Amino acid sequence: MRFEYCPFCGKKTILKEIGDEGQIPYCEDCARPLFDMFSTCVLNVVVNEDNEVLLIRQSYGDTSRYVGVAGFMKIGETPEEAGAREVLEETGLTAESIRYIDSAFYDGRDQLMLGLLARVKKADCDISGELLEAKWFTFDDAVKTVREGSIIQRFIIAAEKEMG
Ligand SMILES: [Zn+2]
């Protein structure tokens, strides 16, 4: 998102040359540059000890599509903390380890997606009300099940490589 109005005082921004950054929206009253804003989300590839990948179907939007366990980061969280929180909230599973693997920018939604590999113990999921289903897949089936060319597909492939 590019700021046309100052989010602090509401004044219309101007464009101002800011160092090496070029022309940046600027509030003359607050004397502050307003760099483009976007949301940061975590997208987990949840894997168990049998090397199966957990995919979910949400109870809103496209309910037929399998996707990864994702969510918006909160202020003050690291990506790993946000990833573990989302896995626990949505599936009831506790991540035993979690680490960053890859990132992608979701253009249509102005979201920076951080891909994480979350290792969990295989167990029945206690799914949140936001989910219809959580299901384990082999890596090959998971890659084929998610939407072709999607960010989760790319992260699943990256996670498999990372694990060797
Ligand atoms: Zn202002």
Side-chain angles (χ1 to χ4, degrees):
M1 185 180 79
R2 186 144 254 243
F3 288 106
E4 282 182 52
Y5 295 90
C6 175
F8 302 101
C9 74
K11 187 185 169 79
K12 195 158 175 40
T13 58
I14 59 158
L15 286 177
K16 188 178 177 179
E17 194 79 22
I18 306 290
D20 296 334
E21 306 292 333
Q23 299 273 312
I24 300 296
Y26 184 84
C27 176
E28 291 174 300
D29 285 3
C30 298
R32 118 180 236 178
L34 299 160
F35 291 94
D36 292 349
M37 199 178 75
F38 51 87
S39 301
T40 307
C41 298
V42 288
L43 176 49
N44 293 282
V45 180
V46 179
V47 179
N48 68 22
E49 68 271 32
D50 296 334
N51 284 349
E52 293 173 314
V53 178
L54 189 70
L55 297 176
I56 59 168
R57 287 192 300 122
Q58 293 167 319
S59 55
Y60 55 92
D62 185 347
T63 55
S64 67
R65 178 172 295 165
Y66 285 96
V67 297
V69 177
F72 289 87
M73 286 186 61
K74 293 181 175 171
I75 288 175
E77 280 183 326
T78 65
E80 291 83 358
E81 286 166 351
R85 175 179 53 75
E86 289 292 341
V87 170
L88 184 63
E89 281 174 6
E90 295 196 15
T91 70
L93 300 177
T94 301
E96 300 197 308
S97 75
I98 192 152
R99 65 186 156 126
Y100 170 83
I101 43 169
D102 197 7
S103 64
F105 200 80
Y106 193 164
D107 283 318
R109 292 201 187 164
D110 270 6
Q111 290 173 359
L112 173 64
M113 307 300 292
L114 302 180
L116 303 170
L117 169 59
R119 305 300 303 258
V120 300
K121 277 253 155 58
K122 188 170 187 173
D124 289 336
C125 295
D126 176 18
I127 61 174
S128 90
E130 290 181 16
L131 305 193
L132 290 179
E133 186 192 7
K135 189 176 169 186
W136 296 104
F137 293 84
T138 64
F139 264 97
D140 284 353
D141 285 345
V143 169
K144 284 181 216 145
T145 299
V146 297
R147 188 167 57 80
E148 182 61 32
S150 61
I151 293 174
I152 184 62
Q153 188 184 52
R154 178 169 146 187
F155 288 175
I156 293 168
I157 293 166
E160 192 177 15
K161 255 194 206 139
E162 184 81 12
M163 291 167 52

